[in-house]
Structures are given as structure tokens and as C-alpha cells.
Amino acid sequence: MPGYLNIHESDTRNLTSWGNYPVVESSVFMCNDEQEARSYILNEGTTIPRGNGRSYGDSALGKNVINLLQLNKFISFDDQSGILHCESGVLLEDIVRIFLPQGWFLRVTPGTKLITVGGAIASDIHGKNHHQAGCFSSNVLDFRLLLSDGTCITCAPDQNSEIFRATCGGMGLTGIILDSRIKLQQVTSRNILQQTIKSENLQSTFDLFDKHELEPYSVAWIDSLASEKNLGRCLFMKGDFACDGNLNYSPSKSLNIPFYFPVFCLNTMSVKAFNYLYYNKIRDNFIESTVSVDAFFYPLDAVNNWNRIYGRQGFTQYQFVLPKEKSFDGLREILIRIHRSGQGSFLAVLKLFGKENENYLSFPCEGYTLALDFKVSPGIFRLLEELDKIVLSCNGRIYLSKDVRMNTAMFRKGYEKLDGFLKIRKELRADAKFISLQSIRLQL
Amino acid sequence: MEFILILGAKSDIARALAIVYARHGYNLFLAARNAKELERFASDLQIRYQVEVRMKEFDVTEFSSHQLFFTSLNPMPSGTLFCIGYLGTLPASAKEITEIVHTVEVNFTGCATILSVVANEYEKKRTGFIVGISSVAGDRGRTSNYIYGSSKAAVSAFLSGLRNRLHPSKVHVLTVKPGYVRTKMTKDLSIPEKLTSSPEKLAEHIFRSQQKGREVIYSFRIWRLIMLIITHIPEKLFKRLSL
């Protein structure tokens, strides 16, 4: 009956993730608690767990999706050890809002706090302190995983450790993370003492990363449209928590982008202008400032739906990592190629990773990672395939949480531990249950 | 710090109310049958809002236990929210004796006994507030749910009497008559979307109304009008309608 609402167990709708590409019809089950998750697993067909839908591509998309945002209860917090026990749908935003005023903060946080704890584990996310703190999983004490047969196991680095290593970074393909215990770090302030340093070219950018290796947080924004002698120039940002004892935190207000920008808004000219202005907004070669945690870690969260500026066609993020010894030449070649294509990126973020961890599909390995945003357009996938070749020739790899288009060969060569992952997935019979568009595309 | 008692804390409206009161800094007694099942909900509220949340075993149909239940709460809650409702299995609820008895006992008798205990205590202390969730279904009996409706009519009349009695003692009574609300109770019903509220919206509305000291509220203003019309249709005509 039109105008009447019926509450169904699953809801069929058009679903997309943060890149707004692709958009697919999915049957979405909103899960309220563990019992519901179990009976859904036992009674329904294939599915893929989904949190806040902030992965960029098709990792959390599928014919059937189980949405875990309502599995968002805090279970306990020990203010002596900083160990937080919570369900997997809890948003990092809530953790920051509740615990920062008490002097606790995430040990590893990505560039947005609008993701769930379960998503952080499944993507084994990294942050500006990867070179010192590793990935999110290094602070996960354990989690409970719901398997394809409806049973539930506890996984920790020393308990079901193979499944732990397959699930951290495993893109939801081993089972459903129900709850987990993570360790928070004690901090003394809601503020970050930030230094911004300008570099002239790629070599000086690299020098900055080496020189400031001991800084806990560092990242660089690269002007992806600069060329020749300016190629690889950047604003290098580093920082650490201030010592002012000010824990008076309330989340910053955010702006909203209420509609999709028309296609023509974002073109080579506007991106060039943005990059030019952004780089030149800082006149001195060095400035120091005190900024809030929100401004330092989550600058883009200040604008809700910022993905809409890329228009209705959506966008994709291309993030790769190159082993350190090959980083310089590889990045140089990639930046030249991008410059030649004229397809600049608003946000080109460079970061030096620390050591690789043992997880099967975690992205980071020691070397430089660059993340680039591109509007989805006819020419873009051709350019990305060219970039793939360069990444591959340097033995690099692409981040699954951002990926929406790489081919199987590229994936297999990038992730050497893949066979081990596939074996575990088979043993858990997860390959017949947990299926995303990405897992189909990559034959995972 | 002040405690609030929520009776029937497992219902969707009760949970939404618990969140709103916790967010405003109230500590909570969550009372329900098998209250232990609320453990995770309680821990979440305690961590999120840094309030104290205690679970209490309560059975609304164990009338004789109500006195002891309430007086053993320490500290005595400064406000009590009655959120228990039983829709019954339609249409059996109108035909089977046990269903009729159960519906009336849960919705009305239990409400009257526990809230009388509460009222006596609040009257003595000359402070406190009571919120009772009744229903628009109580405004006029209709074929589709008149056992539920008449038990809620009794609740509305009871609350109005209680308000009258407690007024001199400065104890405030709020009657809530929700129209359709999207909850577990209504999940199998086809209900008009435009007239349907969410537990979260309703809970905000109840909190604001309780704080302002209002007497009788509907979930949307339109419901007041709808029910005004429905209650004024002459019985001669009304009996022919299928509502």
C-alpha cells in the first residue's frame, strides 16, 4: 500500500560506499544484537558485514549486507589500564568524545573518526603514527568473531592467532566481529602542537620524513600538479599532544554539503588553483601552531559529505605503498605521469610507513604511501592502470579499503601472503558465506 | 545525584527514554522482567553518559510485590516512568478469556498498583514526578483493538485522577498518548508513515514535556485533532465504521 511503511527484516535499497561509486542494489539487514546476527547467519545466504560505509570502494558492498551500526554498545572501560571493551559498531567518534575528556585517546586513528571499531579492524587501518605505533590491530587485545556456521570464537594474537591475523585487515571476509577489547593511550591534552614545514621538491620531502622519524605523528600533503623542479613539493606536518593539561574537549561543529556538486565544478583548473593556494597559504617555510585533535587528525570530518564535491558519478581514492628503497624513483615516475595526464588530485597525502606486521592482508609495509583522489571519469581508469604498472614494477601494493578497480594479477602480486589467507578462509568456510563485490572481483 | 525509575525498561520507548534521561545526567533504575538482559544496554549508558545505571527485577503482574519493590529502592527515585504495554494477539485478545485478563492486568491493574505505591511515597515527600504511557487507543474503543484500548482508557482515567489527587502535593503527572510508534510492538502492523513517530523522537518529546510540567501529550499534535474528531463522531454513526 503506497504511503504505508512495513518493517521488513531486510530492506532492499541502492547502496554505495564513501566513493559514491559503484551504486548497487542490496538487501540490507539492520542487526540489533548478537542473537539476530547469529540467526541471520544461520538462515540467510551469503552476506558481507558493513559498518559506517566509509571504505571508498566495493569492500562493504554486496548482494546481501549485514549492517552492524546498531551493535554499538560499550561494555566496559578500565581507567587503570585504558582497556576498552565495546561492540564492533561503536564509532571512533564516540570513543574520542567520551574518553578524551577523561585523558584517553585512540592509539591509532585514521583520517576520519566516522568509522566503526569493526571496520578499523577489518581494514587494519593506519594513521599518522604508523612508523611508531603500527596498525590498529597492534592495539587490539582480542575480539569475538561470529563464523559462517553460527559459532563464535575469541581471537587474539595468542589465541586462534591465525584467524586473528586473517581477520585484521581481512575486509570482513572471515566472519563478523561482534565485540573487541582495544587499548587506549593516555594523553594530557585535547590539543596538538603542530609544525608545518614547506619543502621544495621530492628529495627535500623525503629528507623531512627521515629527519623527523622520531616525531610521533607525521604526514605530508603533496602538490600533485607541481612539475619539473617543483615536483614532489609538499607541506610536511608533524605534531604531538600538547602538555597544557587541557582536556576540555567537545567535538567541532561540521559543515554540511547538502547536494552533489555538478560535474564541471571539479576540473583541472580548479584543482590547480586549489593546490596552488593551499601550498602558498603558508608563506614561511616553518610555522608552529596549536590545533585541536579534530583539526589535526580529522580535518575532512569538518565537512560532512565532502565526497559530494566529486559529483554524482563519484570518485575513487588510489592509495599505494612502495618499498622504501624503491620509493623515490617510483613516486617520481608516478607524479610525472599524473602531471602529464592533467588529472590532478585535490588531496595527495604522503606518509612514511614503519615495519610491516604479520597480518595476511594488512596494507602497510615499510616505505612511502601516497593517497590520491580522482573523480570517476572515462579516462581515469586508464590512468590508474598505468600507475598500477609502476607500482607493480616497484613491488608495491594497493590498499583494499580504497580500491574499487584493481585486477586480480595486480592484487596477487602485491599481497604475497594471500595464499595463507585463502586457506584460512576456506577452512572457516567463509568463502561460501562472506562475499563482497570486491571479494568476487579479486577472487578472494 | 537524582535517580529515575523506568518500569518496563526493555521496551523501545523505555530504552529511548533511558538514553535521553541519562544524557541529561540522571542516574537510572531500569526495571523489567529478566532485567539481566539489559546488562549491555546498562553498561553502555554508564560509559557513554557517566551516570549510574542499576537493573531491577520487576514483574508488573506480581501486584503484591510492588510495595516492597518500590520502597526498597535506595535512593528513592525522584521520578517514575511507566512504560509497560501489552497489545495482545489480535483478534484473540477480544475472545479468549486469558488474553483479556492478561491484557487488562498488564496494562491497567499493574499500572494502578505500582503507581499507587509511587504516588503514596511522593505524596508523603511532596516531591517527584510520574510519567505514564497510555495510548490514543484509549480515547475510543474500536473493533480492531478495544481490549487493549479499554485497558489504556482506564490508564488515562487513572492518571488523570492521580494528577488531580497529587496536585496539592506538587507531584506532577504526565499522561503520554502516543499514536503509532515504530517499535517491536508495532513491527508487524501496517501503519501510516506520516503519523508514525520514532521512539527517539517520542522520548525527546516526553522529556521536554515532563520538564516543562505539561499534563497530557500526544506523539504529534495532529493526533490530538484526529482523536478529537474520532471521539466526537456520534455513536450511531461510529458503530457502522470499520476503524
Side-chain angles (χ1 to χ4, degrees):
Chain A
M1 210 188 293
Y4 277 68
L5 116 162
N6 269 304
I7 295 165
H8 294 296
E9 299 260 301
S10 287
D11 202 14
T12 301
R13 62 175 102 142
N14 283 334
L15 194 66
T16 186
S17 286
W18 190 238
N20 286 319
Y21 173 83
V23 181
V24 291
E25 193 172 277
S26 297
S27 167
V28 181
F29 173 66
M30 289 298 290
C31 174
N32 288 305
D33 56 40
E34 214 174 301
Q35 284 76 17
E36 282 187 10
R38 184 169 296 118
S39 84
Y40 173 79
I41 288 300
L42 289 172
N43 297 311
E44 304 288 326
T46 67
T47 192
I48 188 74
R50 178 180 168 102
N52 205 26
R54 285 289 175 131
S55 59
Y56 287 66
D58 50 4
S59 327
L61 298 177
K63 193 161 75 75
N64 300 303
V65 169
I66 174 167
N67 182 312
L68 297 158
L69 278 178
Q70 291 305 311
L71 210 68
N72 62 351
K73 308 290 179 294
F74 285 100
I75 300 166
S76 68
F77 178 67
D78 179 354
D79 59 7
Q80 295 303 305
S81 61
I83 294 171
L84 173 66
H85 188 191
C86 65
E87 292 180 342
S88 59
V90 164
L91 292 174
L92 301 191
E93 181 183 41
D94 289 341
I95 297 179
V96 174
R97 184 171 44 78
I98 293 164
F99 294 102
L100 186 51
Q102 302 175 41
W104 296 94
F105 191 70
L106 298 157
R107 289 185 165 217
V108 171
T109 179
T112 173
K113 54 184 176 175
L114 298 171
I115 66 162
T116 60
V117 170
I121 296 172
S123 286
D124 204 9
I125 56 94
H126 56 267
K128 296 177 180 183
N129 58 351
H130 182 273
H131 58 294
Q132 291 190 355
C135 289
F136 195 81
S137 60
S138 57
N139 307 301
V140 174
L141 300 179
D142 55 33
F143 53 76
R144 287 189 320 128
L145 188 69
L146 181 64
L147 302 175
S148 63
D149 62 358
T151 57
C152 178
I153 57 168
T154 298
C155 302
D158 56 1
Q159 185 182 359
N160 292 312
S161 58
E162 288 298 295
I163 302 173
F164 180 87
R165 286 174 48 208
T167 303
C168 296
M171 309 310 287
L173 297 171
T174 55
I176 294 174
I177 301 166
L178 295 172
D179 55 70
S180 83
R181 292 194 306 142
I182 62 174
K183 214 163 153 42
L184 302 183
Q185 62 168 327
Q186 206 143 23
V187 295
T188 46
S189 175
R190 59 154 196 197
N191 291 320
I192 301 285
L193 211 56
Q194 172 185 271
Q195 284 116 23
T196 306
I197 306 167
K198 226 168 172 175
S199 87
E200 308 278 282
N201 56 42
L202 193 58
Q203 187 57 55
S204 63
T205 299
F206 270 50
D207 293 344
L208 284 170
F209 272 107
D210 279 335
K211 187 175 158 202
H212 298 288
E213 199 179 23
L214 294 176
E215 284 290 331
Y217 297 100
S218 62
V219 72
W221 169 83
I222 293 235
D223 181 353
S224 65
L225 284 175
S227 65
E228 288 161 25
K229 70 176 185 358
N230 290 330
L231 187 86
R233 70 178 182 182
C234 82
L235 296 179
F236 177 85
M237 286 160 250
K238 66 189 182 82
D240 195 0
F241 280 89
C243 304
D244 55 16
N246 181 357
L247 291 167
N248 184 15
Y249 171 81
S250 58
S252 331
K253 291 238 160 35
S254 50
L255 298 168
N256 198 21
I257 297 193
F259 55 85
Y260 289 93
F261 275 34
V263 182
F264 58 83
C265 285
L266 211 66
N267 55 36
T268 315
M269 286 310 289
S270 62
V271 174
K272 212 165 190 158
F274 171 83
N275 277 264
Y276 179 83
L277 291 171
Y278 195 78
Y279 182 76
N280 286 298
K281 126 187 133 165
I282 294 182
R283 300 199 158 223
D284 306 316
N285 288 332
F286 176 89
I287 56 165
E288 193 168 77
S289 52
T290 303
V291 299
S292 76
V293 157
D294 282 337
F296 186 76
F297 291 108
Y298 316 115
L300 288 172
D301 288 348
V303 185
N304 284 334
N305 325 78
W306 61 263
N307 53 346
R308 290 183 174 179
I309 64 172
Y310 287 95
R312 224 173 253 288
Q313 280 86 347
F315 76 112
T316 184
Q317 193 168 81
Y318 188 76
Q319 182 171 1
F320 61 86
V321 59
L322 306 178
K324 200 167 178 191
E325 65 282 3
K326 302 208 172 160
S327 285
F328 187 82
D329 293 337
L331 272 171
R332 227 180 87 84
E333 214 181 319
I334 284 171
L335 288 171
I336 291 171
R337 189 64 57 90
I338 291 170
H339 179 254
R340 232 187 272 149
S341 78
Q343 306 257 20
S345 164
F346 255 126
L347 299 153
V349 178
L350 185 73
K351 160 92 199 135
L352 175 58
F353 280 150
K355 293 251 180 303
E356 183 170 356
N357 65 21
E358 288 194 312
N359 302 335
Y360 287 96
L361 294 184
S362 287
F363 167 66
C365 67
E366 191 166 14
Y368 281 86
T369 179
L370 182 66
L372 302 149
D373 286 352
F374 294 104
K375 185 166 71 173
V376 170
S377 67
I380 199 62
F381 293 119
R382 248 191 336 269
L383 171 68
L384 297 184
E385 265 162 41
E386 284 179 41
L387 301 187
D388 278 354
K389 283 182 200 144
I390 307 173
V391 172
L392 214 50
S393 71
C394 298
N395 301 323
R397 63 165 75 129
I398 289 173
Y399 193 4
L400 288 173
S401 307
K402 311 279 176 86
D403 161 60
V404 71
R405 33 73 44 195
M406 95 170 119
N407 61 37
T408 324
M410 177 76 198
F411 171 58
R412 283 179 181 275
K413 284 185 193 139
Y415 289 83
E416 304 130 10
K417 289 176 272 190
L418 176 63
D419 288 336
F421 179 82
L422 293 175
K423 193 168 149 262
I424 293 168
R425 189 157 143 78
K426 220 181 180 84
E427 281 166 12
L428 294 174
R429 292 174 195 269
D431 55 342
K433 191 73 190 178
F434 301 107
I435 292 172
S436 64
L437 293 187
Q438 185 175 51
S439 80
I440 296 170
R441 177 165 52 80
L442 297 176
Q443 296 169 23
L444 260 161
Chain B
M1 189 55 212
E2 273 180 76
F3 269 82
I4 297 293
L5 168 63
I6 300 183
L7 295 160
K10 280 185 191 166
S11 83
D12 292 327
I13 293 173
R15 282 170 188 256
L17 280 167
I19 291 170
V20 174
Y21 277 90
R23 200 169 61 226
H24 285 89
Y26 289 90
N27 299 315
L28 305 171
F29 289 116
L30 300 180
R33 262 185 313 171
N34 302 320
K36 249 191 93 62
E37 287 169 22
L38 285 164
E39 198 168 349
R40 193 154 284 188
F41 180 63
S43 72
D44 184 64
L45 291 178
Q46 304 205 77
I47 293 173
R48 250 174 225 278
Y49 305 111
Q50 282 130 56
V51 293
E52 202 179 322
V53 182
R54 298 190 208 153
M55 292 161 282
K56 293 284 165 190
E57 199 58 33
F58 175 73
D59 188 336
V60 73
T61 56
E62 294 280 331
F63 313 123
S64 55
S65 71
H66 291 175
Q67 178 71 43
L68 185 63
F69 166 81
F70 190 74
T71 47
S72 64
L73 295 176
N74 182 24
M76 186 174 88
S78 60
T80 297
L81 287 74
F82 184 87
C83 308
I84 299 170
Y86 179 69
L87 188 57
T89 45
L90 306 164
S93 60
K95 294 180 182 155
E96 284 170 20
I97 299 291
T98 50
E99 265 300 279
I100 295 171
V101 171
H102 188 64
T103 307
V104 174
E105 284 193 342
V106 171
N107 290 336
F108 176 62
T109 320
C111 172
T113 51
I114 182 65
L115 290 187
S116 295
V117 171
V118 175
N120 296 344
E121 297 298 325
Y122 285 177
E123 191 173 42
K124 262 189 263 166
K125 298 232 157 153
R126 300 182 61 80
T127 177
F129 68 84
I130 294 170
V131 176
I133 313 258
S134 184
S135 170
V136 292
D139 285 5
R140 192 159 195 184
R142 298 171 296 133
T143 318
S144 56
N145 64 356
Y146 66 92
I147 300 297
Y148 174 75
S150 55
S151 66
K152 285 296 194 184
V155 169
S156 297
F158 172 80
L159 291 171
S160 136
L162 208 57
R163 179 180 305 113
N164 200 190
R165 166 188 157 194
L166 295 174
H167 177 67
S169 321
K170 299 195 168 56
V171 176
H172 172 237
V173 179
L174 170 66
T175 307
V176 183
K177 295 182 178 177
Y180 298 124
V181 185
R182 221 172 291 123
T183 63
K184 289 194 284 278
M185 191 169 92
T186 57
K187 86 176 162 65
D188 296 326
L189 303 178
S190 247
I191 49 182
E193 195 169 353
K194 286 223 162 77
L195 295 175
T196 303
S197 186
S198 67
E200 293 75 24
K201 269 196 205 146
L202 180 61
E204 287 289 348
H205 185 34
I206 292 172
F207 177 77
R208 280 198 311 272
S209 306
Q210 178 268 312
Q211 298 278 318
K212 278 192 205 150
R214 295 183 59 187
E215 339 279 14
V216 181
I217 58 166
Y218 289 81
S219 54
F220 290 130
R221 235 176 270 155
I222 186 80
W223 274 107
R224 196 180 282 272
L225 183 66
I226 294 171
M227 295 323 292
L228 187 75
I229 295 167
I230 288 184
T231 49
H232 281 82
I233 300 173
E235 198 62 33
K236 252 195 173 24
L237 177 60
F238 194 78
K239 70 179 182 187
R240 290 163 211 270
L241 301 176
S242 66
L243 284 164

